[in-house]
Amino acid sequence: MIKLLHAELRRLFKSKLFYLGITVMFGLATWATLARYYDAKHLIGMGYDTPDGLLFIAATYFPMVVAIFDSLFIGTEFSDGTIRNKITVGKSRFCIYLINFTITTVGLLIIYLVYAITVLAFSACLLKPFETPTRVLAVFFLCSLVTVVALNALTFALCMLIHKKATSAVACMLLAIALIMGGMTVMQMLEAPEILTGPSTIVNGTVMQPESRPNPKYLTGAKRSFFQFLHDFLPGGQMLTFGMSSELPPHVWKLPIYSLISTLIMTFGGVLAFRRRDLK
Amino acid sequence: MMNLFMAGLRRYWRSTVFWVSVIAALLIGAFCGNLTYENQYVDVAYFLFMQLLYAVLLSLSIGREWDEGGLRNKVISGHRKATVFLVELLLGICAVLVLTLVSLLPFALLCGGFFPIDAFHIGMDCLLGLLLLCVVSAVIDVALCMLIPVRAVSAVLCILLVLGMALAVDRINSRLHQPEELCKVSTRYSEETGLLEYQREYYPNPQYVGGNTRKLYSVLVKLIPFGQANEYMEIIYDCTRPDRDEAEINTDILSTGVFYSIGLAVVLTATGTALFRRKDMK
C-alpha cells in the first residue's frame, strides 16, 4: 500500500494537470487581488481597500476545479489501463480507491492553498489589513478545507464509477454546476425577507412610511429547516457560505461535521460500488 | 459532401448522447417555461442551460469522431479537410436547432399567453435573433471541438467557455449599467419652517465607464452570444410590462444583432476551416 501511495504521489507531482491547476489558481488569485488594488486606487472610500471577500471567493467556483481535476486525473488512470493493471498485480480495489482518493485530496488541497496563500501575500503588500476578524477568517478557512475534502469525495466517487474519461468529465462538470446553481438558488430562498417594504417617499418634505406586506416566498417551519439543512449539508452551499459571508453563522460548527458525514457516506458507497464494477 | 452529410445525420440519429440531449432539452424547456409562467419574465438562465447542452452534445459527438478515427478515415478516403469541417459544422447546426425547437415546444405550452399578442412582431424578431445565436453557439463549439482531438479536454473547454462567456457578460453589463452620476441626499433642520429639508447633491460615479472603453464593452456584449441573448430577454421583459410604451423599448439589437451574429459565425468558420486544414491528424 505504501509503495502504491508513493507511486501515485510521484504521478501527482509529475502531472501537467496538477501544475496547470496551480497556475490557474495562482493567476486567478493574482488577477483578483490586482483588480481589487486597481479599484482601491480609483474608487476611494467605497470599501475596496481591504482584501475582505477575496480570500474565499475561490470557494464559490472551486467545485468546477475539483470536477476538472478529478475527472481528467482519474480518467487518465482508466484510459491508460493503470487501474486494471494494479488489480491484475494483486492490489485490492479498496486500497486502490482509498489511495487515489488520498492523492486527489492532497492535490486539490495544495491547489486550494495556492490561491489562499497568493491572495494573502499580494494583499499584504498592496491592500490594507482585513476588516473581518481573524477568528472568522481562521474558522472559515479550516471549514473550507474540510469542505474541499467532501467535495472531492463526491466527485471522486463519480469518476471511479464512470470509466469513460469524457463522459465522467461532462458528468462531473454538470454536477459542479448543479451544486453551485442549486446552492445559489437555496441561498436566495433562505435570504428572502419576511416582510416586503416599498420605497419611502417624500411628500412636502415629510417622509412617508412605506407600505409593508408579508413576503409569500418567505420560507417558514419545516420547509425552512429542510432548505437550511440542504444548504448546510451540500458542499456547494457550504462553499457559498464561506465565499459570501463576512460573519460566522450561528451553526458554523455543524458544517465540518456535515462534510465529514458526506465524505464517509460517499467514500463508503463509492468503495462498495467500485468493488462490484466490471473493469473488463 | 451530401453523402458525408447524410452519413453524419444517421450517426446523430443513432447516437445515445443525441437522444439523451433531446430529453434534457425537453426537461429544460418545461422547467424554464414553468419558471417563466411563475415569475412573468424569461430568465436568461434558459439560454445558459441550452448552451451547456449544446456544448456537451457537440463535444461528445465530435470527440467520438476523433476517438474512433472517423475524421481521419474521411480525409484518407479523399474528402477535403474543409469539406469535412463544413459538414461537421452543418450537422452541429442542425442538431442544435433540433434541440432548440424541441425545448421551445414545452416552453411555449407552459408559458402560453405570457407574451402580449400585440407585440407579436417584436417577439418573433427576438425569437429569430435567439435562433441565430444558437447557430453561432454551434459554430463556436464545433470549431473548438474540431481543433482539439482529445474528447475529454474539448468537453471541459466547451463547458468552461460557456460559463466564462456568461461570467464575462455579467461583469461587463454590471459596469455598463452604472449610472453616470450618483445622488447623495442630505437632511437639514430648518428653524424657519420647523421641518426637515432634503437636499440632493449629484456627483460623478467613479464606476461609470465612458468614452472608447464604453464603446468597446458595448461591442463585446453584442458579440458574445450570451450578452446578445440578455438584450433580447430585456426586450421581451419590456414588452410584457403592463405599463409598456412600444416607442420607449430599445430595439436596436433587433437590427444590429443579426450582423454581429452572422459576422462572428463567418469569421469563426473561416478561422476554424483554415486551422483544421493545417491540423496534423496523426
Side-chain angles (χ1 to χ4, degrees):
Chain A
M1 189 162 175
I2 295 293
K3 271 186 187 173
L4 199 57
L5 190 66
H6 276 221
E8 286 297 325
L9 266 180
R10 266 200 300 277
R11 192 170 85 85
L12 174 72
F13 290 116
K14 278 182 184 173
S15 159
K16 281 180 193 165
L17 183 70
F18 174 62
Y19 290 106
L20 183 70
I22 287 180
T23 314
V24 167
M25 290 310 273
F26 175 79
L28 285 172
T30 312
W31 176 71
T33 321
L34 290 179
R36 179 62 65 90
Y37 175 67
Y38 177 85
D39 284 346
K41 285 277 170 205
H42 292 86
L43 309 172
I44 297 158
M46 295 179 84
Y48 288 111
D49 47 0
T50 63
D52 293 283
L54 278 186
L55 192 57
F56 298 112
I57 198 70
T60 54
Y61 57 77
F62 205 69
M64 294 298 293
V65 179
V66 177
I68 296 169
F69 181 77
D70 274 356
S71 58
L72 295 185
F73 193 78
I74 299 299
T76 309
E77 285 266 286
F78 275 113
S79 61
D80 291 355
T82 324
I83 290 196
R84 201 177 42 192
N85 291 347
K86 285 175 195 165
I87 292 170
T88 313
V89 296
K91 302 288 175 196
S92 74
R93 290 191 184 209
F94 175 73
C95 170
I96 293 169
Y97 190 98
L98 280 192
I99 284 175
N100 273 332
F101 176 59
T102 313
I103 296 300
T104 47
T105 305
V106 169
L108 286 167
L109 285 176
I110 293 173
I111 292 173
Y112 186 72
L113 284 174
V114 164
Y115 179 89
I117 292 168
T118 313
V119 166
L120 287 175
F122 278 110
S123 57
C125 306
L126 300 171
L127 300 164
K128 285 182 183 171
F130 282 95
E131 274 179 4
T132 312
T134 318
R135 192 175 66 91
V136 176
L137 294 175
V139 171
F140 273 170
F141 181 68
L142 292 174
C143 289
S144 67
L145 291 181
V146 187
T147 311
V148 169
V149 179
L151 200 56
N152 185 35
L154 183 65
T155 317
F156 180 79
L158 203 63
C159 293
M160 289 300 273
L161 300 177
I162 302 174
H163 298 172
K164 288 180 183 169
K165 196 176 172 184
T167 314
S168 77
V170 168
C172 289
M173 290 195 75
L174 293 182
L175 174 74
I177 293 168
L179 280 175
I180 297 170
M181 291 183 91
M184 280 181 175
T185 311
V186 174
M187 198 175 189
Q188 268 179 359
M189 288 164 80
L190 289 171
E191 286 181 352
E194 194 172 355
I195 304 289
L196 290 176
T197 47
S200 32
T201 47
I202 302 166
V203 179
N204 295 332
T206 314
V207 181
M208 304 299 287
Q209 285 305 313
E211 199 181 316
S212 303
R213 59 191 164 87
N215 184 359
K217 288 189 177 175
Y218 181 74
L219 296 172
T220 49
K223 216 172 171 183
R224 186 171 191 86
S225 308
F226 172 72
F227 279 107
Q228 185 66 55
F229 170 75
L230 209 64
H231 186 66
D232 293 340
F233 190 80
L234 291 176
Q238 288 191 12
M239 288 302 212
L240 284 172
T241 305
F242 306 137
M244 296 185 172
S245 309
S246 55
E247 50 191 50
L248 291 179
H251 54 278
V252 70
W253 56 273
K254 281 184 189 172
L255 303 183
I257 297 174
Y258 284 150
S259 292
L260 286 175
I261 292 171
S262 73
T263 305
L264 285 175
I265 292 172
M266 287 318 298
T267 310
F268 185 69
V271 168
L272 275 185
F274 182 62
R275 285 174 79 169
R276 292 178 181 200
R277 195 101 182 101
D278 177 18
L279 291 171
K280 294 173 188 166
Chain B
M1 189 167 173
M2 202 56 199
N3 283 345
L4 274 184
F5 183 70
M6 292 310 287
L9 275 186
R10 268 197 298 276
R11 198 182 79 227
Y12 270 94
W13 186 258
R14 286 178 187 167
S15 151
T16 319
V17 180
F18 176 70
W19 289 108
V20 171
S21 304
V22 168
I23 294 168
L26 273 172
L27 292 176
I28 291 171
F31 173 72
C32 291
N34 188 40
L35 209 67
T36 306
Y37 179 74
E38 278 183 7
N39 297 339
Q40 289 297 299
Y41 77 91
V42 190
D43 199 315
V44 79
Y46 177 42
F47 191 71
L48 177 70
F49 291 149
M50 289 307 291
Q51 279 209 317
L52 284 172
L53 190 63
Y54 308 150
V56 171
L57 170 69
L58 295 178
S59 60
L60 290 183
S61 303
I62 297 173
R64 193 175 169 195
E65 280 288 278
W66 273 110
D67 270 0
E68 294 177 351
L71 291 176
R72 196 177 48 189
N73 291 346
K74 285 171 194 165
V75 174
I76 290 169
S77 63
H79 293 287
R80 289 168 58 212
K81 279 188 178 178
T83 313
V84 173
F85 184 92
L86 289 178
V87 166
E88 284 300 328
L89 186 68
L90 277 178
L91 286 168
I93 290 171
C94 289
V96 158
L97 286 178
V98 168
L99 290 187
T100 311
L101 295 176
V102 162
S103 83
L104 278 175
L105 201 71
F107 183 87
L109 283 175
L110 280 166
C111 66
F114 151 74
F115 199 81
I117 202 76
D118 51 338
F120 188 70
H121 60 287
I122 299 182
M124 282 311 287
D125 285 348
C126 288
L127 184 64
L128 288 176
L130 285 167
L131 285 177
L132 203 54
L133 285 181
C134 296
V135 173
V136 177
S137 305
V139 175
I140 296 173
D141 289 335
V142 171
L144 202 66
C145 295
M146 290 297 277
L147 298 175
I148 302 169
V150 186
R151 197 181 179 195
V153 177
S154 67
V156 167
L157 284 181
C158 282
I159 295 174
L160 279 183
L161 188 69
V162 171
L163 296 176
M165 286 195 294
L167 205 66
V169 167
D170 185 55
R171 297 282 298 178
I172 296 172
N173 269 339
S174 74
R175 297 304 295 269
L176 283 177
H177 289 154
Q178 288 285 337
E180 198 166 354
E181 283 185 325
L182 291 177
C183 175
K184 196 161 86 181
V185 180
S186 54
T187 52
R188 189 175 68 88
Y189 179 72
S190 166
E191 287 184 357
E192 289 172 16
T193 56
L195 292 171
L196 280 176
E197 283 182 355
Y198 291 86
Q199 280 186 326
R200 287 200 177 114
E201 191 189 326
Y202 290 93
Y203 61 99
N205 181 2
Q207 286 183 307
Y208 178 77
V209 180
N212 287 334
T213 320
R214 188 171 193 85
K215 283 180 193 161
L216 177 73
Y217 279 6
S218 305
V219 170
L220 265 179
V221 162
K222 283 173 186 143
L223 262 182
I224 301 173
F226 196 78
Q228 221 186 98
N230 230 337
E231 297 199 14
Y232 288 125
M233 300 302 178
E234 275 175 26
I235 294 176
I236 293 174
Y237 175 70
D238 286 342
C239 286
T240 54
R241 273 177 23 207
D243 57 334
R244 78 192 151 89
D245 178 1
E246 236 176 75
E248 278 183 12
I249 299 173
N250 183 7
T251 52
D252 287 350
I253 193 69
L254 295 181
S255 49
T256 55
V258 179
F259 297 108
Y260 282 105
S261 299
I262 293 175
L264 186 64
V266 169
V267 169
L268 282 176
T269 307
T271 317
T273 313
L275 291 174
F276 185 68
R277 284 174 73 176
R278 292 180 182 196
K279 188 133 188 80
D280 177 15
M281 301 189 81
K282 293 173 188 168

